[in-house]
Amino acid sequence: MKYKVWSIVGNTKYKILNTKYPKFQGFSLIELLVVITIISILVSFGTVAFTISQKKARDSRRKNDLKTIKQALNLYFIETGQYPAQVAGRIGCNVPFNVSIVNWGSEFVCTYPSGQTIQFLEKLPTDPKSGIPANTTYYYTTGTPPNPPYKLSATLENTNDQDITSGLGCTPTSARNYCII
């Protein structure tokens, strides 16, 4: 059945489109490729921005972790009159008759010969990226005078971090790029 495209209305001829059964052509291959390319570019920008935000958030957590450890070390100094020993980048209790090593991710507790235990930190932090013990990321070293009594170092993912580029006031330990004293 053919439909008329031309109709006579009155004495004039008008072109009338048949809208009852329109012929849908669809999108051309070029149009589809352009749309897919634009969506891909937008997704890649979003992914890069999201990744950078995650790195900055983990670096912020690392800095806060080091400040928390610093407070625990100062509490240790108040209780014992000295800072903890350094054992391969980890903290060691050096109270009399107790030279136990405190691993990253475990409770920072030291036991005195009298049996009294003092908790300095409920749990030493671990690296936020991997969740594994942070002895590969966090590092504790003791100093000798005239140097500061200790230094805490970590590896920040964002190498353009303002705290790294503005000068630290200390030299990070073994392949780390951030430290506090």
Side-chain angles (χ1 to χ4, degrees), residues 73-95:
L73 293 174
N74 290 334
L75 180 61
Y76 184 96
F77 180 78
I78 291 170
E79 285 292 324
T80 64
Q82 60 185 353
Y83 285 100
Q86 164 196 333
V87 182
R90 295 177 291 173
I91 297 172
C93 290
N94 57 354
V95 295

Side-chain angles (χ1 to χ4, degrees), residues 8 18-19 22 45 51 61 63 68 70 75 84 93 98-99 117 129 137 141 152 158 161 168 176-177:
I8 306 251
N18 180 3
T19 56
F45 284 141
T51 303
R61 168 127 181 250
K63 291 176 189 179
T68 300
K70 181 178 179 175
L75 180 61
C93 290
N98 182 0
V99 288
T117 60
K129 183 174 182 181
T137 303
T141 53
L152 294 166
N158 180 13
D161 190 285
L168 299 170
R176 286 155 179 88
N177 58 7

Side-chain angles (χ1 to χ4, degrees), residues 107-159:
E107 186 179 30
F108 183 11
V109 173
C110 295
T111 305
Y112 285 91
S114 64
Q116 176 190 15
T117 60
I118 298 178
Q119 180 184 37
F120 299 103
L121 192 60
E122 187 175 323
K123 182 180 177 185
L124 282 174
T126 57
D127 183 60
K129 183 174 182 181
S130 58
I132 60 171
N135 57 351
T136 56
T137 303
Y138 298 151
Y139 201 88
Y140 169 73
T141 53
T142 55
T144 54
N147 295 325
Y150 65 86
K151 176 174 46 177
L152 294 166
S153 299
T155 303
L156 300 184
E157 295 177 70
N158 180 13
T159 55

Side-chain angles (χ1 to χ4, degrees), residues 96-110:
F97 306 108
N98 182 0
V99 288
S100 62
I101 300 169
V102 183
N103 291 315
W104 300 106
S106 63
E107 186 179 30
F108 183 11
V109 173
C110 295

